[in-house]
Amino acid sequence: IRIMKTIVKVDLRQADEIIKSHGLAPGGRIQKMLTSEIQRISDPFVPFANGPLKNQVVFAQDYTWFEYVSPYARYHWFGKLMVDPKTKKGAFFNPSYGFWSRPNTQKVLTETPMKYSGAPQRGPKWVERAWAQYGDEILTNLERMASK
């Protein structure tokens, strides 16, 4: 009986080159499209009164993530009312000034859901809800683009 020995070498540099050539690396065309498309499909789901939240989006330089940078983005992401612990109010309103809160007061989270104009589409966890609705479509488009 004759036994043959086979040696297989895998050059991972070639795998990296393949990943880059197909646009799959961070900053590549597929990564950019994926991140841009997730932000695009999320836009109609973002809470909207006059635009600051949905219009303040920052992308990572390599397009591996994006972030809503409005001061109240996190507040809206969870969609629960936060109130002044003493007054139990979310904010006060003065017609000549607008909405305001007591200075240096840490608000507390309640279980009261916030009410959104444009609900039920616009509201909390907008990226997750948009992905649940359109994610398969985006993945199909990405597969098509990657195979070109």
Side-chain angles (χ1 to χ4, degrees):
I1 296 178
R2 187 173 184 179
I3 299 175
M4 294 184 65
K5 183 177 177 181
T6 305
I7 297 173
V8 177
K9 287 187 178 183
V10 178
D11 185 349
L12 294 180
R13 287 179 296 163
Q14 289 178 355
D16 284 345
E17 289 170 14
I18 293 168
I19 288 169
K20 286 179 185 172
S21 72
H22 282 84
L24 299 170
R29 64 188 176 92
I30 301 298
Q31 176 69 65
K32 286 181 181 177
M33 182 181 175
L34 172 63
T35 307
S36 298
E37 284 295 286
I38 292 172
Q39 190 277 324
R40 182 188 66 77
I41 63 164
S42 299
D43 191 69
F45 291 78
V46 177
F48 181 83
N50 54 15
L53 176 59
K54 77 180 210 78
N55 295 329
Q56 292 182 339
V57 179
V58 174
F59 288 86
Q61 190 171 359
D62 64 359
Y63 275 78
T64 53
W65 54 266
F66 65 93
E67 179 179 16
Y68 292 86
V69 294
S70 168
Y72 51 89
R74 186 172 188 274
Y75 178 59
H76 284 293
W77 177 256
F78 292 105
K80 300 290 184 184
L81 185 64
M82 294 184 79
V83 297
D84 182 309
K86 185 175 181 179
T87 66
K88 305 293 185 215
K89 293 185 180 273
F92 302 98
F93 182 75
N94 181 320
S96 63
Y97 181 76
F99 288 98
W100 62 280
S101 295
R102 290 185 314 128
N104 304 315
T105 302
Q106 179 84 33
K107 292 190 175 185
V108 294
L109 189 63
T110 69
E111 287 301 313
T112 305
M114 293 177 60
K115 295 178 183 162
Y116 292 100
S117 175
Q121 183 166 351
R122 293 195 182 275
K125 299 191 179 178
W126 51 90
V127 176
E128 291 176 7
R129 293 183 300 105
W131 182 259
Q133 188 168 339
Y134 297 109
D136 288 343
E137 179 183 321
I138 289 175
L139 292 176
T140 299
N141 292 338
L142 289 173
E143 287 171 2
R144 206 173 298 130
M145 187 176 178
S147 66
K148 288 184 181 182

